[in-house]
Amino acid sequence: MITPTAPFPAPRATGAADGLTVAIDIGGTKIAGALVHPDGTMTATTRRATPRGADAEGVMAAVTEVVADLSDSPLWASAVRCGIGSAGPVDTSRGTVSPVNIGAWREFPVQARVAAELAARGAELPTVLAGDGVAMTAAEHWLGAARGHTNALCMVVSTGVGGGLILNNQLHPGPTGNAGHIGHISVAFDGEPCVCGSRGCVESIASGTAIARWARDQGWTPAAGASSGNGASIGNGAGGTRDASAAGVAAAAATGDPIAVAAFDRAGRALAAAIAATATLVETDIAVIGGGVAASGDILFAPIRTHLAAYATLSFVKELQVVPATLGTHAGLIGAAAAATMLLPSPPSP
């Protein structure tokens, strides 16, 4: 069913081509779709829960339902392109995805399958696939915190750490769509093993999962209170809950808990080192950080900025800004549309 939505507040479109974009956002908890206008407003938004325990075709069935919902819109015939943003890893050279949070999809040909669903509903559209970090980057450059910046690094700090790059006002996804994946830059050569197989990666230190794990390993005990609702809470045996997630660590840091403060300082230092390294390599002048951990505000941003001064020391990176993302939950769909607009040729004029 198509659910109406208020238009997305777009102050102005920067470089958006004419025509509507079919936007699809695929994640571990939901699959969403919308028709996105050239000014960033979204209409005909719809979503489905990402099926749990389903096989590959079961997950694809939810994507098909989203496309079917969008095709019921009277604006469907005005669509000129399609953007798909997906949790990764992705391989945009092959149009495949293997999301860590969708176990049924391994090298799943999502781009070809979505294109086929579009064609079956009378819309043979050029289609592009982008990883969620790249899509978020496209969104923040178009309508968010990186708007107006020629070179930018945008990051998602959540269960994992991902990102993307804007270079010379162009989205730079790389050959397989993974350029800017800052979470797997090593910032501690003798650090802990990372799930990717390397050692001392940013993600192994600064992700929400890593922050909470390190704090607990140092003896931090979550205080009784409200659960973060993310499944990371543990019962306290007295009718309340104890939030053992990164959100719980952030709440403790806000009260001055020394271990919680140290956990976020450690994460901020890792992020600062990686941001400075990226800026030094490609001369970005802003780093935009979104995701669930970034919602902790200055608990995270203050240590990043403090440590950044020690890493970004050369004259051409000393003015590097670190700011929070502004698009929030809109970033997935807006980013899928923005990536398609930036990476696909503009449609011919009528």
Side-chain angles (χ1 to χ4, degrees), residues 269 272-273 276 304-314:
R269 184 178 182 183
I304 291 175
R305 290 168 180 148
T306 296
H307 288 295
L308 191 63
Y311 291 110
T313 57
L314 294 171

Side-chain angles (χ1 to χ4, degrees), residues 97-242:
V97 296
S98 303
V100 294
N101 50 8
I102 304 177
W105 278 7
R106 289 295 173 266
E107 299 186 0
F108 187 79
V110 68
Q111 184 172 342
R113 293 293 299 273
V114 168
E117 293 297 334
L118 297 173
R121 290 165 176 79
E124 294 191 19
L125 304 179
T127 301
V128 71
L129 170 66
D132 51 7
V134 171
M136 176 264 194
T137 299
E140 291 291 335
H141 184 254
W142 182 23
L143 296 172
R147 192 159 58 109
H149 289 267
T150 302
N151 302 291
L153 166 68
C154 297
M155 304 171 60
V156 179
V157 183
S158 187
T159 306
V161 177
L165 289 168
I166 296 290
L167 300 178
N168 196 27
N169 274 324
Q170 299 295 315
L171 189 63
H172 182 73
T176 65
N178 293 289
H181 199 345
I182 193 170
H184 294 288
I185 288 177
S186 178
V187 292
F189 70 87
D190 57 352
E192 296 179 5
C194 179
V195 292
C196 74
S198 185
R199 184 176 290 275
C201 291
V202 175
E203 184 172 300
S204 69
I205 299 171
S207 70
T209 305
I211 290 169
R213 181 180 62 246
W214 186 87
R216 293 193 301 268
D217 287 348
Q218 303 308 305
W220 173 73
T221 302
S227 167
S228 66
N230 65 2
S233 299
I234 56 175
N236 66 358
T241 58
R242 296 181 185 269

